[in-house]
Amino acid sequence: MKNWVIVFGGLLISSSFLEAKQIGAAEDLNWLTQAERFIEMKDPSIRKVALGALLMGLSCGLIGSYVVTRRLSLFGDTLSHAVLPGIAVGFIWAGEKDNFSLLIGAGIAGFAGVCCLCLLKKFTRIHEDSSLGIVLSAFYALGICLLTRIQKVGYTDQSGLDSFMFGQVSALSSNDINGLFITLLLISLFIVFNFRQLLVTGFDPQFSKSIGIPNDFLQFVLWMLIAFCVISSLQLVGVILVSAMLVIPAATASLLARRMKTYLVLSSLFGAGAGISGTFFSFLGKSLPAGPLIVLVSALLFLIILFFRPEKGMLFCWLNTRSERSRIIIENTLKAAFQILEQKGFEENEITSLEIMKKRGLSRPEVEKEIQNLTTAGLATKNISPIDQVSLPSQTVMTLTPKGWEYACRMVRNHRLWELYLTNEAEYEPDHVHEDAEKIEHVLGEKTVRQIERLLQNPKTDPHGKLIPSITDIHQGNLPGAS
Amino acid sequence: MNFIPKFDPSKVFFEPWATPELIAWNSQVILMGFLVCWASGMVGTFIVVRRMALMGDAISHGILPGIVIAFLTFGSLEVGPMLLGACLAGLACSFSIEWLQQNSPINKDASMAIVFTSFFALGVTLINLQAGHLDLDTDCILYGEIGLTPLAPNFIFGGNDFGNRSLWVMGLICAAIIILVSLFYRQLLLTSFDAILAHSIGWPVKIIHLFLMLLLALSTVASLESVGVILVVAMLVFPSVTASFFFHRLPSILICTFPLGILYTFGGFHLAYWLDCSIAAAMAITASICFILSVIFGPRSYIWKTAKKKPS
């Protein structure tokens, strides 16, 4: 467990170090004014980039939620690599960096990649992950080969092609914005009109087939939309990191959302938020590419939500376990106190720490701490005993309060009832039941205890012949100790 | 403008081997390529059997920040720190993927995509942060440049010159992988095919898994310089998948990575010489062509089997 903490701590620290570094790098430019410039959005180039990142985040988040629920994450990754040869061919065809032909080339290559995957699935028995790896690397190698060829042949304007690897925000044209906008429009229209069908095909394909929904067609349209989304986002985040934008915001949303509609909304919001803040940081840092920063911001968001989300977050789980553990310790101490009093025949009220140490088999500081915990919880009061016959210098003496006494009785009752239940109903040997009862006594609810009591006809003694304090006795205070 | 140069067999096949200098240079390139193919092919066989092909892809992306951080701390392109940083980052990557899978409701594929893209993004950002005063070339890590192998400094030990150092490093790693795989063959085999049985007879399945991940990281890192981050996955997946169309048993597939490595290297080298493009990419293209051919003509191919059955 510690390893993980270190790994993630390292990740967090290194990313915060990154942010610090960017600010440091832009210090001579006065980053406050830079930030102001970004927030005011007066600069048309800033507005364009921010708009692009926003649109990309929204569309990637929307389509990404289907990618994640249908387990297509690595498919998105493969697709984003597979468009590379298409870009190269589009470039050769147009002879220059014309966005339209590049997009068409990328679209065709993406389509070919999907076809290859289908063919491999149909005609071979290769596992899905291997076929994804095969298509990914084959297409990517072809793309690299073509790109190096382009560089060797020496087209004039090939420098722009590099931007497709990691994205280049500064080269974002209004054409790209239009492309992003159209993609977003297509995706939202598709989702709005096919929301129910997508839901059914995604979660229960058999049923949806039986009610006549065209599963394969929807799946194919979804693939094509993913390809569109990948292609239109290339200019912003680049080939390799597009798949991150498809997966991370949607995965973040999946930690929070219970229903598909909230899921879609949250995921697109996370995508848009990461897009905007990523561009903001890259603007602060000047020389930093926006794509990786957008991805880093969304990864950070994912980590934060993973640790701090309500109910199931790691932090809450950890706190819960801790409080649960301390409750069990308190209950064990109370039970020990009851047993000590019982041994003395309920004649005294005081329990010394030495007795608890003997009973629980713990060291003195541990017992002192337990007594302190009981006192803070208002279940006991403590005193320092006068020095007397015992060899210990001055030991703590504890007296249970009425509330603590009731609690202790309840615990002992749970324990002994369960032991009796096991011997009578489950036919355990009496010497086997203690371990089991030790565990279950902390989780038995009042209702279950009543049921067991009724089943065993309000018993008075447990299999070891000891007293079971009954609930009426506890409430009326007719207990040996209290009387 | 002729995009595809004319194919002239004598130029493509004989020119690289015309003079002694060229032979000395090119044989080093070929040897490097072969070592990379063989080492990754051996590890890749187990990776493919365990259905973790994309794990190789993920790890090869994930080691980027490790390399950059090692470079920043030691300030040089020395092999030792690079290997260390990359192995640590690769292990961190695979640990994080498994941790996410086990401790959150995220699926396996999504957790893989999340982790390796974030690692990669971190690496790219770190490179760009230092772009001003460091000469770590993004292109070199991303695409690799196997053609420059002979330029590596010589390995000098005790006053004797032993020749090219990066060849030595790759050779040692390749030898280590072969020895380790043959030593722990039984363990790797059983845990790959029946992890539950292996667990029930008391083998440390998790440690063996970790050991394989370490081997994967090692071979990935070693081949990085020559084939680059993304094409490593080609070298991992193609040999064993191609061999599986010819052979049924794992030992035969493992042995088959040897001739396939030679085939890929020579094919890739001459293809690159003809087209004048990146050798690593040409090797991957050769591998894909071999794969397509074996899908169609391989004796264990599914197409072949159905075609045979039809007449009867």
Side-chain angles (χ1 to χ4, degrees), chain A residues 1 3-4 7-8 11 14-15 17-18 21-22 25 67-74 77-78 81 92 120 122-130 132-138 140-142 144-150 152-155 162 165-166 240-241 243-244 247-248 251-252 254-255 287-289 291-293 295-296 299 302-303 306-307 309 314, chain B residues 1-5 47-54 57 61 69 72 91-92 94-96 98-100 103-122 124-126 128-130 138-139 142-143 230-231 233-235 237-238 241 244-245 271 274-278 280-282 284-285 288 291 295 300-303 305:
Chain A
M1 191 61 208
N3 291 339
W4 308 125
V7 167
F8 273 92
L11 206 72
S14 48
S15 39
F17 155 80
L18 264 182
K21 265 287 185 185
Q22 291 153 30
V67 170
V68 170
T69 48
R70 293 176 181 228
R71 312 196 173 186
L72 291 173
S73 313
L74 295 168
D77 184 41
T78 306
H81 285 74
I92 295 163
L120 278 182
K122 191 152 192 229
F123 288 112
T124 66
R125 277 173 300 176
I126 298 171
H127 300 310
E128 201 193 348
D129 64 316
S130 297
L132 282 174
I134 285 168
V135 171
L136 181 153
S137 48
Y140 194 78
L142 194 63
I144 297 280
C145 196
L146 289 172
L147 282 183
T148 45
R149 189 75 204 127
I150 287 173
K152 292 273 165 61
V153 171
Y155 283 95
D162 261 9
M165 299 307 294
F166 297 113
I240 300 160
L241 292 173
S243 58
V247 178
I248 300 180
T252 317
S254 80
L255 294 174
S287 69
L288 291 170
L293 276 178
V295 175
L296 277 184
F302 173 76
L303 278 184
L306 184 66
F307 280 103
R309 74 194 154 125
M314 309 237 160
Chain B
M1 197 178 303
N2 50 340
F3 188 73
I4 296 173
I47 299 289
V48 168
V49 167
R50 289 177 180 227
R51 309 193 182 184
M52 282 167 37
L54 290 168
D57 187 38
H61 283 75
I69 289 170
L72 293 183
L91 286 181
S94 76
F95 271 133
S96 326
E98 263 156 50
W99 182 80
L100 256 192
N103 294 302
S104 72
I106 309 287
N107 294 331
K108 186 183 176 186
D109 61 331
S111 56
M112 235 151 105
I114 290 171
V115 172
F116 87 78
T117 49
S118 332
F119 270 58
F120 193 75
L122 187 66
V124 174
T125 319
L126 282 176
N128 279 293
L129 270 179
Q130 302 298 330
T138 332
D139 285 4
L142 289 178
Y143 315 127
I230 295 149
L231 291 177
V233 69
M235 297 298 119
V237 179
F238 275 117
V241 175
S244 72
F245 284 102
L271 186 65
W274 170 34
L275 293 177
D276 193 17
C277 65
S278 147
I285 289 175
S288 359
F291 169 74
V295 168
R300 281 175 43 76
S301 146
Y302 190 62
I303 306 172
K305 267 184 191 163

Side-chain angles (χ1 to χ4, degrees), chain A residues 401-459:
Chain A
T401 61
K403 195 176 144 202
W405 177 244
E406 191 190 319
Y407 200 162
C409 289
R410 249 197 351 252
M411 288 323 297
V412 173
R413 195 165 69 103
N414 285 357
H415 182 92
R416 291 182 179 169
L417 268 179
W418 190 254
E419 285 187 343
L420 192 66
Y421 174 71
L422 285 185
T423 41
N424 285 7
E425 305 292 321
E427 301 188 349
Y428 272 46
E429 291 299 316
D431 53 342
H432 278 55
V433 291
H434 179 73
E435 303 301 319
D436 204 34
E438 274 293 300
K439 285 178 200 148
I440 204 114
E441 64 191 11
H442 303 291
V443 286
L444 279 180
E446 196 57 45
K447 205 177 149 201
T448 328
V449 171
R450 293 283 171 100
Q451 271 178 343
I452 296 172
E453 215 165 33
R454 216 172 303 132
L455 194 74
L456 301 169
Q457 291 143 4
N458 295 320

Side-chain angles (χ1 to χ4, degrees), chain B residues 4-52:
Chain B
I4 296 173
K6 213 173 114 242
F7 182 70
D8 178 5
S10 71
K11 185 174 172 284
V12 171
F13 290 112
F14 300 114
E15 213 181 80
W17 311 102
T19 62
E21 292 84 40
L22 274 177
I23 290 177
W25 179 280
N26 287 331
S27 58
Q28 287 185 26
V29 175
I30 292 269
L31 187 59
M32 185 72 183
F34 165 69
L35 287 174
V36 166
C37 282
W38 199 23
S40 331
M42 293 280 264
V43 179
T45 309
F46 292 103
I47 299 289
V48 168
V49 167
R50 289 177 180 227
R51 309 193 182 184
M52 282 167 37

Side-chain angles (χ1 to χ4, degrees), chain B residues 192-240:
Chain B
S192 301
F193 284 103
D194 198 342
I196 295 169
L197 175 65
H199 191 73
S200 70
I201 59 174
W203 283 3
V205 177
K206 278 206 165 167
I207 292 177
I208 294 171
H209 180 78
L210 196 71
F211 166 73
L212 188 67
M213 286 291 109
L214 192 70
L215 282 189
L216 179 63
L218 203 65
S219 68
T220 313
V221 175
S223 41
L224 201 67
E225 217 180 315
S226 27
V227 296
V229 164
I230 295 149
L231 291 177
V232 168
V233 69
M235 297 298 119
L236 283 172
V237 179
F238 275 117
S240 63

